[in-house]
């Protein structure tokens, strides 16, 4: 199994801990991490797994809204703040970058 990396920046979500404290969570189906910046923005990432390595074209074809839907499904039922942070992340006007084997693919 391989892992991908997706992430974003959430606004308006209160999280536990002080700014600069990293939080890592093993969800039932996906790994998640976040840190609150001094300005209150929350930077987060998730590592969804794939049984088969996607091609560059397959990764480039995934829209921000599709990533959001997949991640929300992966974290459904988990107690962590993952879903709240994902929902509070705007997908308008930006595309997050994805890295595979150290190379940017999207």
């Amino acid at each position: 199994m391989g892992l991908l990396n997706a992430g974003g920046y959430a606004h308006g979500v209160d999280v536990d801990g002080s700014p600069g404290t990293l939080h890592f969570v093993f969800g039932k189906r996906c790994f998640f991490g976040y840190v609150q910046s001094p300005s209150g923005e929350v930077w987060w990432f998730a590592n969804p797994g794939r049984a088969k390595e996607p091609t560059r074209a397959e990764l480039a074809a995934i829209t921000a809204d599709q990533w959001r839907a997949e991640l929300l499904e992966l974290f459904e039922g988990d107690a962590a703040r993952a879903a709240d942070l994902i929902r509070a992340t705007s997908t308008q006007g930006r595309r997050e970058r994805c890295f595979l084997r150290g190379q940017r693919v999207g």
Side-chain angles (χ1 to χ4, degrees), residues 11-92:
H11 301 272
V13 178
D14 291 327
V15 294
D16 294 332
S18 347
T21 302
L22 293 166
H23 299 266
F24 300 107
V25 180
F26 284 98
K28 294 175 192 154
R29 294 171 297 266
C30 193
F31 184 76
F32 188 79
Y34 68 90
V35 63
Q36 183 179 18
S37 74
S39 69
E41 181 178 63
V42 181
W43 308 330
W44 62 267
F45 71 91
N47 295 131
R50 292 289 192 275
K52 176 182 169 265
E53 181 177 342
T55 66
R56 288 175 183 257
E58 289 170 334
L59 286 172
I62 302 170
T63 68
D65 289 331
Q66 288 170 322
W67 273 119
R68 179 195 300 269
E70 178 180 342
L71 293 172
L72 287 172
E73 182 179 325
L74 287 170
F75 290 109
E76 185 177 334
D78 286 347
R81 301 299 310 271
D84 295 335
L85 292 169
I86 293 165
R87 282 188 198 96
T89 301
S90 173
T91 61
Q92 300 302 311

